[in-house]
Amino acid sequence: QVQLMESGGGLVQAGESLRLSCTASGSIFRIGIMRWYRQTPGKQRELVATVTSDGTTTYADSLKARFTISRDSRKNTTYLQMTSLEPEDTAVYSCSGRIFATPTTWRDYWGQGTQVTVSS
């Protein structure tokens, strides 16, 4: 069994920064692509950023100037550094990961999410 656990959310003021973490635990052979999403009530879930196992990153166009995704393979942890936060960034942030249990078998897992609230 594999679990993804997010942490680092909270309440901040506009202009401040936060770093979210997503740690995978359990029966892991290796970790493939990792993704951060966010969702606010009444809106569609938005893909924020992705990072592959070789470190290649992609971002939502509107966020690439302020958000940075990274990973530490030794810790099975993926990070989302968010700077210059705006009230519009308020959302539940969730991570998703492609976890390989063997060299050829994998499944996508989701964390439960962490709330980020940005006050004006």
Side-chain angles (χ1 to χ4, degrees):
Q1 187 69 7
V2 172
Q3 283 190 326
L4 297 183
M5 180 69 71
E6 301 97 337
S7 62
L11 173 63
V12 297
Q13 293 195 333
E16 294 183 340
S17 300
L18 271 180
R19 189 178 79 160
L20 307 182
S21 300
C22 171
T23 300
S25 61
S27 181
I28 300 170
F29 176 76
R30 72 178 179 88
I31 299 175
I33 191 169
M34 294 293 300
R35 300 179 177 95
W36 280 101
Y37 291 86
R38 69 182 186 180
Q39 188 165 26
T40 55
K43 286 191 176 181
Q44 205 166 12
R45 185 170 58 202
E46 176 184 18
L47 177 62
V48 173
T50 71
V51 59
T52 63
S53 56
D54 67 359
T56 302
T57 59
T58 66
Y59 296 91
D61 285 342
S62 62
L63 300 175
K64 64 174 61 175
R66 300 186 293 117
F67 288 15
T68 303
I69 190 171
S70 61
R71 62 194 286 169
D72 184 338
S73 297
R74 296 168 301 173
K75 297 181 180 179
N76 287 343
T77 298
T78 303
Y79 303 99
L80 184 69
Q81 179 69 47
M82 306 183 293
T83 63
S84 302
L85 284 162
E86 305 167 354
E88 293 73 24
D89 296 318
T90 295
V92 174
Y93 287 73
S94 301
C95 64
S96 173
R98 181 153 296 179
I99 310 297
F100 287 75
T102 74
T104 57
T105 58
W106 55 266
R107 236 195 77 181
D108 287 338
Y109 290 86
W110 286 84
Q112 290 195 324
T114 185
Q115 176 72 43
V116 172
T117 302
V118 184
S119 65
S120 56

